[in-house]
Amino acid sequence: MPEQSPLDLPEGDPFGPHNLPYGVFSTADEPERRRIGVRIGGHVLDAGAAARSLGSPHTTLLDHSSLNPLLAAGRTTWSEVRRALTAWVTDPGHRSVVEPLLHPLSEVRLHLPYEVADYVDFYASEHHATNVGQIFRPDGAALTPNWKHLPIGYHGRSGTIVVSGTEVVRPSGQRKTPAETAPVFGPSVKLDIEAEVGFLVGTPSALGQPVGLNEFRDHVFGLFLLNDWSARDIQAWEYVPLGPFLGKSFATSVSAWVTPLEALEAARVAPPARDFDLLPYLDDSTAAQPDGFDLRISVEINGQEVSTPPFATMYWTAAQQLAHMTVNGASLRTGDVYGSGTVSGPEVGQRGSLLELTWNGQDAIELTDGKRTFLEDGDEVTLTAWAPGPDGTRVGLGEVRGKITPANA
Ligand code: MN
């Protein structure tokens, strides 16, 4: 029996050659040298070394410590690079070159693979927005009058976007319940998650020039899982009238792996039907192909699944969000990240936050290690997901993981 190659993957591996997400890694013997890696099965291909060895015209883009030059190179180049990578990991003629450039995932360190430019977070799940509206504004309409007409969002803090595996320090801040007469200060007692999908902008746009719905794929390189950590007690007291601020800016975790949109063609789905006409710049009803994605997310706390949010139920697509955030002429930069908003489906077990799963702490959920309303110190949250791939395969999304550590004194 010849020795099994790491490229001979078991049938149905969600990280097979139909996927090929991008990341940045280093090895223990050269911890300071960050390199672009492409995940194949349980291994990481040193993409720059492969490009050099195989004489690729894209060596300068791949032999780099960050994805940014590749992101900026644009859609035609993204396709060429993906075709080359596919050949490198599938063509038996390349094996003798490629196999020595594979590193087991367990032996590498993964880094934030791009320099984040601006960060925007949206609020695109009708189920989430309805639940939050009922919890935070029980006496008013659950959805605000604008909600179905424009994708609501806010500008977040790009400098505190951290890669999966980074520990999250419990934030401290002001909170005040309606029953209290004055605010108090201390560690958040309502630390929560938001299961989301992040989108990564590659190609920039010119100031003053809106990006239309049909230009989504020219500008957005890929997507990844994102956890928008949220301190609900800080948020509830501070958010009126300007929206989220310190309740969310302490940390946002993203996966170490970016899945190119090209790997998700089989996962395209139409967003839920709308019963009125959107303004033309948001109207996708006559689009040739839909811009929703059928991503099946799983939320685990300490290894126990607590929710399975379905991304296909999102009211606004990432293409509409991009069109909306540039319609005023705001420009895009390479490395811009925008979050979808918490993904919550119609069922209780599909809610993407503890705020909704426990109805603001009223109904604790049962874990094997005890009840939870919000996160406790030491809790580790992991988001995973998969999408339908070509020919009945699955496309795995790289996980995003984070553990809560006690507040600083
Ligand atoms: Mn969010």
Side-chain angles (χ1 to χ4, degrees):
M1 284 274 288
E3 199 180 327
Q4 172 107 5
S5 164
L7 294 173
D8 290 327
L9 300 174
E11 186 151 352
D13 191 309
F15 291 94
H18 59 297
N19 188 342
L20 303 180
Y22 293 85
V24 165
F25 74 101
S26 59
T27 56
D29 50 331
E30 291 180 281
E32 300 303 320
R33 195 172 144 230
R34 297 188 180 194
R35 296 174 255 178
I36 292 178
V38 171
R39 181 166 171 182
I40 177 81
H43 286 73
V44 182
L45 172 66
D46 184 333
R52 249 183 287 122
S53 300
L54 294 165
S56 165
H58 300 300
T59 300
T60 50
L61 296 179
L62 291 174
D63 194 5
H64 211 278
S65 58
S66 152
L67 291 177
N68 279 53
L70 173 63
L71 298 177
R75 187 176 176 182
T76 303
T77 302
W78 303 340
S79 293
E80 289 170 6
V81 169
R82 181 168 167 81
R83 268 199 299 280
L85 284 163
T86 305
W88 300 346
V89 298
T90 56
D91 183 343
H94 292 317
R95 282 206 169 181
S96 60
V97 172
V98 168
E99 281 181 357
L101 304 176
L102 294 167
H103 300 264
L105 260 178
S106 56
E107 292 178 13
V108 302
R109 179 162 175 218
L110 298 170
H111 305 273
L112 188 61
Y114 41 85
E115 290 102 54
V116 182
D118 292 300
Y119 168 46
V120 164
D121 194 32
F122 284 98
Y123 192 52
S125 158
E126 184 172 356
H127 306 289
H128 172 72
T130 302
N131 289 333
V132 172
Q134 288 172 357
I135 292 167
F136 277 6
R137 296 179 298 277
D139 301 325
L143 289 183
T144 49
N146 56 359
W147 198 91
K148 289 201 167 185
H149 295 274
L150 57 81
I152 293 179
Y154 65 94
H155 283 280
R157 192 167 188 85
S158 50
T160 51
I161 290 184
V162 296
V163 73
S164 175
T166 306
E167 293 189 334
V168 174
V169 179
R170 180 179 297 273
S172 292
Q174 285 197 27
R175 62 176 184 270
K176 188 187 101 56
T177 61
E180 289 169 321
T181 54
V184 296
F185 182 89
S188 170
V189 295
K190 289 190 173 180
L191 185 53
D192 198 358
I193 59 160
E194 291 193 341
E196 303 195 21
V197 176
F199 291 82
L200 180 60
V201 172
T203 314
S205 68
L207 189 64
Q209 187 66 50
V211 174
L213 274 180
N214 59 1
E215 295 174 283
F216 170 61
R217 284 180 164 68
D218 295 330
H219 288 274
V220 172
F221 173 81
L223 58 74
F224 49 84
L225 291 168
L226 180 152
N227 185 348
D228 176 24
W229 304 97
S230 299
R232 301 301 181 191
D233 41 359
I234 297 172
Q235 180 186 359
W237 170 231
E238 75 176 0
Y239 90 108
V240 183
L242 281 185
F245 190 40
L246 303 181
K248 286 170 177 283
S249 63
F250 54 94
T252 305
S253 296
V254 295
S255 176
W257 296 106
V258 181
T259 303
L261 294 189
E262 280 186 272
L264 295 164
E265 282 298 305
R268 292 172 78 153
V269 289
R274 303 181 181 89
D275 52 11
F276 64 97
D277 290 335
L278 292 169
L279 286 169
Y281 79 96
L282 292 172
D283 184 3
D284 61 1
S285 60
T286 58
Q289 282 187 286
D291 280 318
F293 291 99
D294 182 8
L295 313 175
R296 327 281 178 93
I297 303 170
S298 168
V299 181
E300 289 182 5
I301 300 177
N302 302 332
Q304 194 175 342
E305 186 174 81
V306 297
S307 177
T308 55
F311 192 70
T313 63
M314 299 296 269
Y315 181 89
W316 296 107
T317 68
Q320 289 171 316
Q321 291 170 333
L322 191 74
H324 186 63
M325 76 172 142
T326 59
V327 74
N328 65 347
S331 51
L332 300 172
R333 293 194 289 173
T334 298
D336 281 357
V337 166
Y338 62 103
S340 60
T342 309
V343 185
S344 290
E347 312 293 331
V348 172
Q350 297 178 331
R351 294 171 177 170
S353 69
L354 288 169
L355 175 72
E356 298 163 86
L357 285 166
T358 70
W359 212 254
N360 200 15
Q362 286 178 36
D363 308 314
I365 56 171
E366 297 275 356
L367 298 183
T368 50
D369 61 355
K371 288 181 192 289
R372 284 298 183 290
T373 51
F374 292 95
L375 295 172
E376 297 184 359
D377 291 345
D379 280 348
E380 184 173 59
V381 180
T382 306
L383 309 182
T384 57
W386 63 272
D391 306 319
T393 56
R394 289 182 174 196
V395 176
L397 300 195
E399 67 172 20
V400 59
R401 192 166 43 79
K403 187 174 187 173
I404 305 302
T405 63
N408 286 317

